[in-house]
């Protein structure tokens, strides 16, 4: 039975690669949350716009009905309904403001994650440059040693 062919040594995992993967995942997750918040804000703004249109429609109806003549109870009902719409608009404005605050915090979180990722990538690039310099020096030493050996051999044969 022949000896199995030796495997080349496995490159040891770089902890920086793991940190970069984790930071990238965190940045992606922060971006997804930010996108969801942006979608939520868009929806909230659409609801707010609908409430404004609805309120304006009822205000126009009230004005027309007042010109045409209406009972006091109908007038009171219109005013009460418009007041309810005003409260809904006010509440929806608060919802939009809360979402805006969440978006601002989400942006800060995303920027922080991107900076963290960038820092790790910068460290990795520096580490690779340093390793390349070491590899070049080692290769130069090997070449120098081989040249010296060949030179000595040639000196012994002449």
């Amino acid at each position: 039975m022949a000896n199995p062919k030796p495997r080349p040594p496995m490159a040891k995992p770089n902890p920086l690669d793991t940190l970069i993967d984790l930071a990238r995942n965190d940045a992606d997750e922060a971006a997804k949350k930010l996108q969801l918040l942006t979608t939520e804000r868009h929806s909230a703004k659409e609801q707010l716009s609908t409430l404004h249109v609805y309120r304006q429609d009822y205000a126009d109806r009230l004005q027309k009905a007042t010109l045409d003549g209406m009972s006091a109870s109908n007038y009171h009902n219109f005013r009460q309904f418009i007041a309810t719409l005003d409260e809904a608009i006010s509440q929806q404005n608060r919802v939009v403001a809360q979402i805006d605050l969440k978006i601002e915090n989400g942006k800060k979180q995303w920027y922080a994650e991107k900076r963290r990722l960038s820092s790790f990538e910068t460290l990795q690039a520096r580490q690779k440059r340093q390793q390349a310099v070491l590899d070049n020096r080692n290769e130069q030493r090997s070449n120098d040693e081989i040249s010296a050996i060949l030179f000595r051999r040639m000196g012994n044969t002449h």
Side-chain angles (χ1 to χ4, degrees):
M1 185 175 208
N3 285 339
K5 186 173 162 182
R7 292 184 192 165
M10 292 181 63
K12 62 180 181 178
N14 186 346
L16 213 44
D17 290 337
T18 303
L19 289 174
I20 287 172
D21 287 343
L22 291 172
R24 187 172 288 123
N25 288 342
D26 290 346
D28 290 347
E29 200 57 39
K32 287 177 190 172
K33 286 178 183 176
L34 192 54
Q35 181 60 43
L36 287 173
L37 285 169
T38 302
T39 301
E40 185 180 341
R41 184 185 191 282
H42 179 72
S43 176
K45 286 295 279 187
E46 282 182 347
Q47 289 175 1
L48 182 59
S49 179
T50 300
L51 285 170
H52 277 293
V53 168
Y54 203 45
R55 190 217 183 273
Q56 185 60 49
D57 182 49
Y58 264 83
D60 292 345
R61 286 184 190 183
L62 174 60
Q63 185 177 12
K64 183 179 182 311
T66 303
L67 293 174
D68 293 343
M70 71 173 4
S71 68
S73 67
N74 279 347
Y75 179 80
H76 175 71
N77 288 340
F78 258 103
R79 292 298 310 151
Q80 194 171 13
F81 187 70
I82 290 173
T84 302
L85 287 173
D86 286 340
E87 179 55 36
I89 288 170
S90 178
Q91 185 176 355
Q92 193 64 22
N93 276 323
R94 286 190 296 273
V95 167
V96 170
Q98 288 171 349
I99 295 171
D100 284 344
L101 185 60
K102 287 179 183 179
I103 286 174
E104 197 55 41
N105 289 334
K107 284 180 182 178
K108 288 177 185 175
Q109 180 67 32
W110 180 72
Y111 288 135
E113 296 297 344
K114 292 295 281 183
R115 278 193 306 275
R116 187 168 153 252
L117 173 60
S118 178
S119 295
F120 290 144
E121 288 174 337
T122 300
L123 284 173
Q124 184 182 51
R126 185 178 307 147
Q127 196 177 59
K128 286 181 179 180
R129 281 192 307 272
Q130 289 171 344
Q131 187 61 49
V133 167
L134 285 175
D135 292 346
N136 287 340
R137 283 182 188 160
N138 289 337
E139 186 177 341
Q140 185 62 45
R141 276 191 205 119
S142 293
N143 288 340
D144 290 349
E145 287 175 17
I146 291 171
S147 293
I149 291 170
L150 290 175
F151 181 75
R152 278 184 287 211
R153 284 184 186 166
M154 290 183 73
N156 289 340
T157 59
H158 289 299

